[in-house]
Amino acid sequence: MPPERLTEETILLTEKNNNYRQIFDELAIQHGASFHHTQEISSFAIILHFLQKKMGISFLPKYATLPILQEKNLALFTVAGFDIKMDLLIFYHRQKWVTPAMKYFTETAEEFFSPSAASNP
């Protein structure tokens, strides 16, 4: 989809201080796109609910949408020139005990966010 097509849509956006919103705003500026119909919403859950009700489109991280994508209640689309990659960094103190919960979290995050997982909706 060309970026100009987005101006015809209602865009459901996260709050301005959200990193996904900041990236979206930067890409819009780079492409000279201005949006006439936007809604700023603080909750991913509410945005996802509105998306399922066909109340607009949004720019969200894939991990937030995976359950609904797998149920085939939403569809992904690409916008020309809006190709981004984000890194996930997890820090912990090397000399401190790693709890079973921390170990499970890091293993799950590594599995979930691996390059092979990123290519599967």
Side-chain angles (χ1 to χ4, degrees), residues 98-109:
V98 176
T99 67
M102 289 170 59
K103 184 172 174 42
Y104 177 76
F105 174 77
T106 56
E107 289 171 352
T108 302

Side-chain angles (χ1 to χ4, degrees), residues 58-117:
S58 190
F59 180 76
L60 297 171
K62 196 176 199 178
Y63 75 84
T65 62
L66 273 178
I68 297 170
L69 287 170
Q70 290 170 342
E71 294 170 4
K72 305 210 183 304
N73 290 333
L74 285 181
L76 291 176
F77 65 92
T78 58
V79 177
F82 278 53
D83 184 37
I84 66 154
K85 302 286 184 249
M86 293 183 74
D87 294 322
L88 171 69
L89 304 174
I90 300 172
F91 295 95
Y92 60 92
H93 196 286
R94 189 180 301 196
Q95 296 175 340
K96 298 285 184 178
W97 180 60
V98 176
T99 67
M102 289 170 59
K103 184 172 174 42
Y104 177 76
F105 174 77
T106 56
E107 289 171 352
T108 302
E110 186 174 346
E111 180 181 312
F112 187 80
F113 292 106
S114 70
S116 61

Side-chain angles (χ1 to χ4, degrees), residues 2 9 13 17 26 53 81 89 109 112:
E9 300 289 338
L13 297 169
N17 61 350
E26 289 171 15
K53 297 288 184 186
L89 304 174
F112 187 80

Side-chain angles (χ1 to χ4, degrees), residues 6-100:
L6 294 176
T7 61
E8 302 168 18
E9 300 289 338
T10 297
I11 312 290
L12 306 174
L13 297 169
T14 57
E15 295 175 310
K16 283 192 179 285
N17 61 350
N18 181 286
N19 57 348
Y20 301 101
R21 169 68 180 273
Q22 291 169 352
I23 291 169
F24 180 82
D25 288 346
E26 289 171 15
L27 288 169
I29 289 168
Q30 288 174 10
H31 290 276
S34 63
F35 305 104
H36 307 289
H37 309 287
T38 62
Q39 289 287 322
E40 188 172 293
I41 303 166
S42 62
S43 165
F44 278 179
I46 294 172
I47 292 173
L48 293 172
H49 176 76
F50 286 172
L51 291 172
Q52 290 180 87
K53 297 288 184 186
K54 301 178 183 173
M55 296 174 67
I57 62 174
S58 190
F59 180 76
L60 297 171
K62 196 176 199 178
Y63 75 84
T65 62
L66 273 178
I68 297 170
L69 287 170
Q70 290 170 342
E71 294 170 4
K72 305 210 183 304
N73 290 333
L74 285 181
L76 291 176
F77 65 92
T78 58
V79 177
F82 278 53
D83 184 37
I84 66 154
K85 302 286 184 249
M86 293 183 74
D87 294 322
L88 171 69
L89 304 174
I90 300 172
F91 295 95
Y92 60 92
H93 196 286
R94 189 180 301 196
Q95 296 175 340
K96 298 285 184 178
W97 180 60
V98 176
T99 67

